């Protein structure tokens, strides 16, 4: 299964990425900072560098599930835009 993780560089998100990989899933980290992602998640995680509120359906077209691990601090648009679950 391919899983997109929003907020993948945070404490919860990085734990979710590690557990998903441990279970054999392919992970795509949706991040705002590619360097932070590389240092926290390593090179074995594919990344999509994009603000969550700018995601489109095409960005997530090839994933089976999206996990929201975002920490929303004062930006209601981020919290509203992302509860997506796609089953194939």
């Amino acid at each position: 299964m391919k899983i997109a993780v929003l907020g993948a560089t945070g404490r919860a998100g990085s734990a979710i990425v590690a557990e998903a990989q441990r279970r054999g899933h392919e992970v795509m980290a949706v991040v705002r900072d590619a360097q932070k992602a590389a240092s926290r998640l390593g090179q074995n995680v594919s990344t999509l560098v994009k603000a969550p509120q700018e995601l489109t359906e095409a960005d997530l077209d090839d994933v089976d599930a999206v996990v929201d691990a975002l920490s929303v601090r004062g930006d209601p648009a981020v919290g509203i835009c992302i509860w997506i679950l796609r089953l194939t």
Side-chain angles (χ1 to χ4, degrees):
M1 177 181 282
K2 184 171 183 180
I3 302 170
V5 179
L6 308 170
T9 59
R11 185 175 23 193
S14 59
I16 292 166
V17 168
E19 180 63 18
Q21 286 184 310
R22 187 187 74 73
R23 292 182 183 210
H25 299 293
E26 181 183 354
V27 177
M28 178 179 68
V30 181
V31 300
R32 290 174 286 196
D33 185 334
Q35 291 178 330
K36 185 177 179 181
S39 69
R40 291 208 177 167
L41 304 173
Q43 300 299 322
N44 294 331
V45 177
S46 67
T47 57
L48 172 62
V49 180
K50 199 166 204 182
Q53 61 269 32
E54 295 173 358
L55 286 172
T56 65
E57 186 176 341
D59 293 326
L60 303 173
D61 196 40
D62 66 336
V63 300
D64 301 304
V66 176
V67 176
D68 180 355
L70 289 171
S71 173
V72 180
R73 293 188 180 131
D75 188 352
V78 175
I80 293 169
C81 73
I82 322 271
W83 272 101
I84 303 168
L85 175 62
R86 292 185 48 176
L87 302 174
T88 56

